[in-house]
Amino acid sequence: ETGVTQTPRHLVMGMTNKKSLKCEQHLGHNAMYWYKQSAKKPLELMFVYNFKEQTENNSVPSRFSPECPNSSHLFLHLHTLQPEDSALYLCASSQGPGSAGGHNEQFFGPGTRLTVL
Amino acid sequence: AQKVTQAQTEISVVEKEDVTLDCVYETRDTTYYLFWYKQPPSGELVFLIRRNSFDEQNEISGRYSWNFQKSTSSFNFTITASQVVDSAVYFCALSEYSGGSNYKLTFGKGTLLTVNP
C-alpha cells in the first residue's frame, strides 16, 4: 500500500449505531488531519494531530471522537450521529516543518462516504 | 481571518479549449503558501502545486500553468488544450499558521470543470 488509505469507502449507519473510520498513511508523515466535505460547502477541517498529539479541534461535536495511536494511523469514532452528518470524510497527512516551514502540501486519502439514516 | 474565493462554481468547455480557473485570497500573514488541488469523481484530492508568497514567478507544468499576482491577491490556474480527463472539481487553498507548530489549509468552495468531447 502506498499513500493514504481509508476504510471503509462507504458506510451507512443509523443514528444509534457506533462505527469507526480508519485512515493509514504510508508516507512517513508526522501530521494527520480529518476533514468533512458536505455538498455545496468548502472542506471543513475537523481535527489535526501532530506527532500523535491532537493540536486542533475545530469546534467539532463530541459525537465525533478522534484517536491517533501512532503517526501512521488515525481513527474517527462515530456515535449517535445525525442525518446532517452525512458527508465525505477525508483523511490527509503531511510532513512536519520542512522546506516550506510547515506549509507543506497535504496528501489525501480517497475518503469515506458516510450516510446517516 | 483567512479567506479563499473561487467565484466560478461551474465551468463547461469543449475539449481542446483553454480554460482559466480563478482564485482570490485574503490574508494578514506576510508569509503564506497557496495550493491547487484536483478532486476527480473518485473523491481523492490530488495535490497539483504549492507556491510561496515570495515567489511571483509564473509556473508551467505541461498543459497546466499558474499565474500568481500578489498585487491583486490572485492565484489563477490555466489548463491549455483541455481534455476530458481534466473534468474534476478544482480547489484553491491558502496555508495559515495557526499557532505553536500548527498550520492549516483554508479551502475555497471549488470549481467544477466539465470538459466535453
Side-chain angles (χ1 to χ4, degrees):
Chain A
E1 290 276 16
T2 59
V4 181
T5 57
Q6 289 186 244
T7 54
R9 294 294 309 276
H10 300 272
L11 178 62
V12 179
M13 59 187 288
M15 289 190 285
T16 57
N17 292 158
K18 287 185 182 181
K19 296 285 184 184
S20 295
L21 310 185
K22 179 183 176 183
C23 175
E24 184 173 358
Q25 59 96 1
H26 309 267
L27 300 167
H29 292 162
N30 47 36
M32 295 188 77
Y33 311 79
W34 278 117
Y35 287 88
K36 175 183 179 182
Q37 186 177 27
S38 308
K40 311 284 184 187
K41 282 180 140 183
L43 271 80
E44 299 172 74
L45 178 66
M46 300 175 73
F47 301 104
V48 180
Y49 278 81
N50 269 302
F51 293 100
K52 304 186 298 177
E53 299 297 321
Q54 187 182 128
T55 56
E56 184 110 13
N57 177 336
N58 210 20
S59 302
V60 181
S62 59
R63 56 185 184 270
F64 295 91
S65 174
E67 178 190 359
C68 188
N70 55 60
S71 292
S72 299
H73 294 85
L74 184 65
F75 296 89
L76 188 62
H77 304 300
L78 316 171
H79 63 99
T80 59
L81 294 192
Q82 305 297 313
E84 59 264 29
D85 296 322
S86 298
L88 180 67
Y89 288 84
L90 291 160
C91 173
S93 70
S94 68
Q95 189 54 282
S99 62
H103 298 276
N104 296 307
E105 59 269 31
Q106 295 178 17
F107 292 84
F108 286 79
T112 295
R113 175 70 61 185
L114 174 67
T115 302
V116 181
L117 301 177
Chain B
Q2 303 206 152
K3 188 176 173 182
V4 177
T5 302
Q6 294 180 254
Q8 304 148 310
T9 306
E10 297 186 34
I11 299 176
S12 182
V13 299
V14 177
E15 211 170 13
K16 297 185 183 176
E17 282 185 23
D18 298 347
V19 58
T20 295
L21 310 181
D22 298 333
C23 173
V24 175
Y25 62 92
E26 295 176 30
T27 180
R28 293 182 187 173
D29 292 354
T30 53
T31 300
Y32 53 89
Y33 281 70
L34 295 159
F35 299 77
W36 276 95
Y37 283 85
K38 173 183 180 180
Q39 187 178 37
S42 59
E44 180 175 341
L45 269 80
V46 178
F47 165 73
L48 297 178
I49 189 171
R50 179 187 69 197
R51 173 52 53 88
N52 76 54
S53 53
F54 298 107
D55 182 2
E56 289 194 66
Q57 275 194 324
N58 290 334
E59 182 152 344
I60 298 174
S61 176
R63 296 184 297 107
Y64 295 170
S65 62
W66 290 269
N67 185 338
F68 178 30
Q69 298 271 349
K70 209 167 175 178
S71 59
T72 56
S73 297
S74 65
F75 186 44
N76 296 336
F77 173 31
T78 297
I79 302 175
T80 304
S82 60
Q83 300 175 1
V84 172
V85 293
D86 296 327
S87 298
V89 181
Y90 290 86
F91 292 94
C92 180
L94 174 65
S95 181
E96 168 187 22
Y97 174 62
S98 56
S101 59
N102 302 324
Y103 298 80
K104 64 179 182 181
L105 289 178
T106 300
F107 284 86
K109 291 187 177 181
T111 298
L112 172 61
L113 173 65
T114 302
V115 181
N116 298 298

